[in-house]
Amino acid sequence: MSSRDGFDICVIGAGVIGLAIAYELAKKYKNQDVSIVILERESSFGQHVSSRNSEVIHAGIYYPTGSLKAELCVMGRELLYSHCEQFGVAHQKTGKLIVAKGTEAYALAKVKENAIANGVLDLQLLDRVELQKLEPNIEADMALHSPSTGIIDSHGYMQSLLRLAENLGVQFSPYSRVEKIDTDADAFVVHCQLDENRSPEHYEFNCQQLINAAGLEAQSIAQSVSAIPKNTIPKLHYCKGDYFDYRRRNPFSHLIYPMPEANTTGLGIHATMDMSSQLKFGPDTEYIEKVDFRIDGNKAKAFAENISSYFPGIDAGDLKPAYSGIRPKLSGPGEAAADFEIQEESVHGLSGLIQLFGMESPGLTASLAIARYISNRVDL
Ligand SMILES: Cc1cc2nc3c(=O)[nH]c(=O)nc-3n(C[C@H](O)[C@H](O)[C@H](O)COP(=O)(O)OP(=O)(O)OC[C@H]3O[C@@H](n4cnc5c(N)ncnc54)[C@H](O)[C@@H]3O)c2cc1C
């Protein structure tokens, strides 16, 4: 942290969304003597939700038409592919198959209808024979093929965002935990606790524009803002998703998804791969009370049962616990899926404060579009 008194813009959280926002704002205010800082409590960027996901670049198929999730995913996907091409971030347009049984034909047609309404126009309906040609190890009667779905090296992507932002003058401040935020006449006073080995241990500074992109902690940061009406802060539900690695050779060349769960709580235990073609299955959905990333290895049996509905060759013994992630959901068990919630002055009454809540999937895909959306609302 520099010794100056303040910054024009402060972004809290160096996950993929905070990094994308800082980069977009740095481009907007290039050569304009606007100072931007990203505060991150960890030693480095992307240690939380952004490094515990499927790393899928989603097409934008399932989200309700007109929702922020739908609009920002479709726009973000294109921005993300261009960014990857331009800055050499590893990615692959693998394509994805949503596989279904004959009894699910109507539901699958509805998925396609929704995708078209969202502007996803490249889906193709495949019959059993066409599907078998593409993926002989899959057992299903039909599938929707999404050629614009892909995978990305999310760490490499975040690294590129940070490097680009820093090149434009953004200051990255790791080991800086935001403790509370006071509101002054025309500025926010941000109170930080620095890593215990750093001096000084406490630090506070002013900023004019504050962006709360703290992921699972967005609500607790919001609670710490003096003068904010507490009833504007949405309830947070932790929804955990576990992944299991497949011990054998990857038998698929596409990402394979079953039909989505009720209320699209999750997209079903799907088969996805990383850039080294390591196949993994997940995530499941489990609402939990507190953050806990442990995986119960006994779940392998239930996973295998679920996966066998489209991949009969699966054996529980081939599944090895890999990692888990926690979705910062705004909808509780059994409730309809909630949209991203991006709150501005019109909601909480504080000029210069933007807060992002419920940034679950497709937040990685949508990150650059979210950043543009925020940038359009920042006016120094
Ligand atoms: C299981 C799972 C699967 C997913 N799969 C996909 C997918 O395939 N495709 C897709 O597009 N999206 C996916 N997502 C969603 C995507 O991962 C998220 O939308 C995105 O990573 C959220 O980024 P973020 O920056 O908001 O949060 P985070 O990455 O959690 O970043 C928030 C940052 O804030 C910091 N922070 C918190 N409190 C403080 C504080 N007090 N002071 C300073 N810093 C603080 C944290 O340390 C953290 O680094 C998935 C999510 C999950 C959970």
Side-chain angles (χ1 to χ4, degrees):
M1 180 76 68
S2 88
S3 59
R4 58 182 294 174
D5 292 326
F7 292 88
D8 296 304
I9 302 174
C10 169
V11 178
I12 304 174
V16 72
I17 292 178
L19 291 168
I21 291 170
Y23 171 47
E24 189 64 30
L25 289 170
K27 283 195 291 182
K28 174 172 176 168
Y29 291 111
K30 192 175 167 189
N31 302 327
Q32 290 187 48
D33 195 27
V34 167
S35 55
I36 304 175
V37 66
I38 312 174
L39 300 176
E40 170 54 53
R41 67 180 167 178
E42 304 292 355
S43 60
S44 187
F45 60 86
Q47 310 277 298
H48 289 269
V49 186
S50 299
S51 56
R52 294 174 167 276
N53 56 49
S54 302
E55 296 191 298
V56 171
I57 301 179
H58 287 297
I61 296 170
Y62 313 93
Y63 316 107
T65 304
S67 64
L68 280 178
K69 282 184 179 174
E71 283 178 16
L72 298 174
C73 183
V74 172
M75 186 201 296
R77 176 195 78 201
E78 288 311 309
L79 293 172
L80 188 51
Y81 278 124
S82 305
H83 179 98
C84 291
E85 292 292 338
Q86 191 179 352
F87 299 109
V89 176
H91 67 291
Q92 200 187 328
K93 239 183 214 180
T94 52
K96 144 174 164 175
L97 293 163
I98 306 171
V99 300
K101 303 279 180 217
T103 50
E104 294 168 321
Y106 179 73
L108 193 66
K110 283 279 166 204
V111 168
K112 186 173 182 201
E113 226 173 75
N114 195 73
I116 291 170
N118 287 353
V120 182
L121 306 176
D122 57 358
L123 297 188
Q124 293 156 294
L125 192 57
L126 307 182
D127 63 20
R128 192 181 178 84
V129 176
E130 291 164 324
L131 172 60
Q132 281 289 310
K133 270 191 205 147
L134 287 183
E135 294 290 356
N137 293 296
I138 288 294
E139 172 54 43
D141 297 321
M142 61 195 74
L144 268 184
H145 179 220
S146 164
S148 54
T149 301
I151 53 173
I152 180 171
D153 165 11
S154 57
H155 184 81
Y157 169 48
M158 288 189 277
Q159 216 162 22
S160 78
L161 290 172
L162 180 58
R163 179 176 43 82
L164 289 162
E166 285 186 319
N167 287 347
L168 290 169
V170 170
Q171 191 170 330
F172 176 50
S173 183
Y175 298 110
S176 304
R177 174 190 294 273
V178 174
E179 301 238 287
K180 66 170 180 152
I181 294 146
D182 287 329
T183 41
D184 221 346
D186 57 355
F188 297 98
V189 185
V190 181
H191 299 260
C192 295
Q193 171 79 36
L194 299 191
D195 182 67
E196 54 189 13
N197 298 323
R198 293 177 171 236
S199 181
E201 284 187 14
H202 294 273
Y203 188 90
E204 59 188 65
F205 63 88
N206 289 352
C207 73
Q208 201 181 328
Q209 176 74 52
L210 185 62
I211 295 153
N212 173 2
L216 289 165
E217 300 298 329
Q219 273 85 344
S220 69
I221 300 263
Q223 289 288 351
S224 82
V225 179
S226 63
I228 200 167
K230 301 293 186 241
N231 61 0
T232 59
I233 304 170
K235 185 170 167 44
L236 168 68
H237 301 268
Y238 295 135
C239 184
K240 182 166 174 266
D242 293 340
Y243 293 85
F244 281 75
D245 278 336
Y246 186 57
R247 293 179 197 263
R248 296 178 182 272
R249 196 184 58 82
N250 181 359
F252 309 129
S253 54
H254 298 78
L255 310 183
I256 312 289
Y257 281 61
M259 291 295 286
E261 295 169 14
N263 291 329
T264 55
T265 307
L267 297 182
I269 296 181
H270 46 263
T272 180
M273 54 189 109
D274 62 20
M275 292 305 300
S276 63
S277 199
Q278 166 67 51
L279 179 66
K280 63 194 169 200
F281 289 98
D284 61 350
T285 50
E286 182 187 354
Y287 279 92
I288 55 173
E289 289 304 314
K290 55 183 178 47
V291 172
D292 184 348
F293 293 110
R294 282 172 299 181
I295 301 178
D296 176 3
N298 294 323
K299 268 191 182 177
K301 203 160 167 274
F303 261 62
E305 246 173 64
N306 188 307
I307 296 160
S308 67
S309 69
Y310 59 88
F311 177 36
I314 188 80
D315 185 290
D318 295 333
L319 296 174
K320 186 176 74 163
Y323 63 94
S324 65
I326 298 176
R327 306 167 181 89
K329 276 196 183 290
L330 301 183
S331 51
E335 291 174 4
D339 202 359
F340 292 152
E341 202 167 314
I342 302 180
Q343 293 189 352
E344 308 169 59
E345 183 181 2
S346 57
V347 177
H348 49 60
L350 299 178
S351 163
L353 176 65
I354 298 180
Q355 313 209 79
L356 295 93
F357 298 110
M359 305 314 284
E360 55 171 327
S361 195
L364 168 63
T365 308
S367 51
L368 291 170
I370 294 169
R372 281 203 184 170
Y373 180 95
I374 301 292
S375 171
N376 289 337
R377 282 156 178 79
V378 170
D379 187 18
L380 292 175

